[in-house]
Structure formats: structure tokens, C-alpha cells
Amino acid sequence: MPEIAAIVCDLGAELSELDEVVAGLADGDWDLPTPAEGWSIRDQIAHLAFFDEQATRAVEEPDAFAVALQEIAADVDGFMNDPLVRARAMAPADVLDWWRAARAAEVAAFDSLDGTDRIPWFGPPMSAASFVSARIMETWAHGQDIWDALGRDRAATSRLKHICHLGVRARPNSYSARGLTVPEDSVAVVLRGPDGDEWMWNEGAEQSITGDALDFCLVVTQRRHLADTALVSGGRAAREWLEIAQAFAGPPGSGRKPGQFAVSAS
């Protein structure tokens, strides 16, 4: 299976897994608060639906999307809040239908991609592989907020490797989002996947991050505070990166408070 097709397949699996969770919720559960301050489960799904729509537009109408970015910059808060306001006036079943339609269109659009495509987005343009992987990351991260809101355990899958890869590649973004200079020191990342296999990036670097792949994903998506994981950093630059890690585009995230979640058993 070509690389892009395989990543799109993994995106479909990630979407379906989250659908199985929210489809079975009672209407009242859609307004349960999630760890993202001020956001309910309803808000999380609305956010995904809206940005699935934006992703489809970026692929199918890249020039129009690039022009729209200039308008968005004039009112970022309004742009981010509009889908939440819309969803809060809808029945939960309608929010679910919105997300299902948006993601179906997105996956269909992604089927036309190949490895040479570059897609405009809210940061620098991305390769097709990175763009689809970023949608896996966003689906997984907002899904984690929903799992946490419901107090449910979540099984780790090999799809985490896409998120780990993005997390490693996004190290410069973690600094630039804060107006900081990226250190020259390279950092090796050696992680244990859900099946016990080893995933490695920047082999041979003097500084390192080691631990469980799930912990790394939770940190780079800011769904866990570093102190609530068992990740081990070797070297100043490695530790500094983990403390500000941010795999997603945009301004610095607020992350999670230390002690909010238990340390993982890794």
C-alpha cells in the first residue's frame, strides 16, 4: 500500500474509534467538561468537524484557503469560537452528523493525494504525509480529552507512531511558537511502541529522550504534564524541549497541570 494510502487508512481507523465512543453517549453526556478548560465533549467534536472541513478545503482549494488565512489572522479568536457557538445550538445527534459528513469528505479528498503534494495550513505548508498524519494527531488528541472526560481507559495502538514522528519533526515549532531559538544540540528519541517494538529518531545524538511512545504523544500534544509521565530526558536540551513540546501549529498551548493525571505504568 502506498505511503499516503496507508496513512489515510490509519486516519480512518482513528476516526472510527472515536466515533464508537461518542455515538453511544446519552445527550446529557455531550456537555460533560473535558480537561481542556471551558470545552465540553460537544465542543471537542465540533472543533474536529470544523477543522476536518478546513482540511478538505486546503486540499481541494489550496489557493482559496491560502487567501482565507489572511482573513482568519484578523480575528483568530472568532474563527476558533465560531464552530463551538454553532454546535452549542445544535442537538448532539446533529453535531455527530456534522462531524461524520466533514470527515467523510476529508478522507475522500485525501484519497487524491500523492507524495509530491504540499498542502497549505495554519503554519508552514506541509507534505501530504505530514498533513494526513497531523489529522491523525488532532483526532487522537481531542479524542484523548473525551476519553479523559468519561474516565475511560484507552488502548494504545501502532497509529501513535505517526504522532511521535510529528512530535519529533515539530521540535523547532515548540521553540518558534514561543519566540525562542532552537538549540543546536540534536536529541535522540527512543520510544517503546504499544507492541514492545522500539521506535527511534536521530540515532546517535548525545542527548536523548527515552520512554513509552504513549507518554511522548501525550506530552507533545499537551494532554499530560511531563511530570505525570515516565519519560526520561538525558541532557539540558532534551529536558527543555519536553517542557515546551508542542506538535500542533498555533500559539503556545496551555497544556495540563502537574498532578492532574496519574503517572503511566511504563
Side-chain angles (χ1 to χ4, degrees):
M1 183 182 294
E3 180 188 17
I4 299 299
I7 303 173
V8 173
C9 184
D10 279 349
L11 172 61
E14 197 67 43
L15 291 163
S16 294
E17 182 183 70
L18 180 54
D19 191 298
E20 290 179 6
V21 173
V22 297
L25 295 179
D27 283 1
D29 290 340
W30 280 75
D31 293 314
L32 289 173
T34 69
E37 187 174 355
W39 279 37
S40 65
I41 291 176
R42 177 196 302 267
D43 296 332
Q44 298 281 355
I45 295 298
H47 177 88
L48 287 174
F50 181 73
F51 280 95
D52 286 342
E53 290 176 337
Q54 295 299 313
T56 300
R57 187 180 186 191
V59 170
E60 295 184 341
E61 305 174 79
D63 293 339
F65 180 85
V67 171
L69 286 177
Q70 301 174 20
E71 300 174 3
I72 293 166
D75 185 13
V76 174
D77 288 342
F79 177 76
M80 294 294 290
N81 288 330
D82 280 351
L84 309 187
V85 172
R86 173 183 170 187
R88 289 168 185 173
M90 298 167 67
D94 293 333
V95 178
L96 181 58
D97 286 345
W98 173 23
W99 177 49
R100 285 173 170 170
R103 76 187 206 228
E106 173 188 63
V107 170
F110 288 173
D111 284 339
S112 68
L113 294 173
D114 64 43
T116 64
D117 291 322
R118 293 196 66 80
I119 317 299
W121 198 233
F122 297 96
M126 304 172 72
S127 70
S130 293
F131 190 76
V132 181
S133 294
R135 298 311 302 152
I136 294 175
M137 175 189 68
E138 178 128 349
T139 303
W140 181 86
H142 288 282
Q144 185 63 49
D145 288 335
I146 293 172
W147 257 269
D148 288 336
L150 296 170
R152 298 184 187 178
D153 292 329
R154 184 185 197 183
T157 74
S158 61
R159 298 190 295 272
L160 293 179
K161 193 169 187 178
H162 299 296
I163 304 169
C164 292
H165 183 69
L166 278 178
V168 173
R169 294 286 302 274
R171 183 187 175 209
N173 175 66
S174 302
Y175 286 84
S176 61
R178 291 161 176 78
L180 301 174
T181 301
V182 183
E184 295 182 359
D185 306 273
S186 182
V187 178
V189 179
V190 184
L191 303 172
R192 182 173 55 257
D195 297 324
D197 47 342
E198 184 177 85
W199 301 342
M200 181 179 296
W201 293 263
N202 303 329
E203 183 177 5
E206 292 186 1
Q207 301 199 36
S208 64
I209 294 169
T210 58
D212 192 83
L214 174 59
D215 278 351
F216 186 75
C217 291
L218 290 166
V219 168
V220 299
T221 60
Q222 297 189 0
R223 264 53 191 183
R224 293 290 185 274
H225 192 278
L226 176 59
D228 290 332
T229 74
L231 291 175
V232 176
S233 57
R236 179 196 57 79
R239 177 73 184 191
E240 180 182 74
W241 172 23
L242 284 178
E243 289 175 346
I244 63 171
Q246 177 172 319
F248 49 88
S254 58
R256 300 289 178 262
K257 298 176 182 178
Q260 188 172 0
F261 297 96
V263 175
S264 66
S266 58

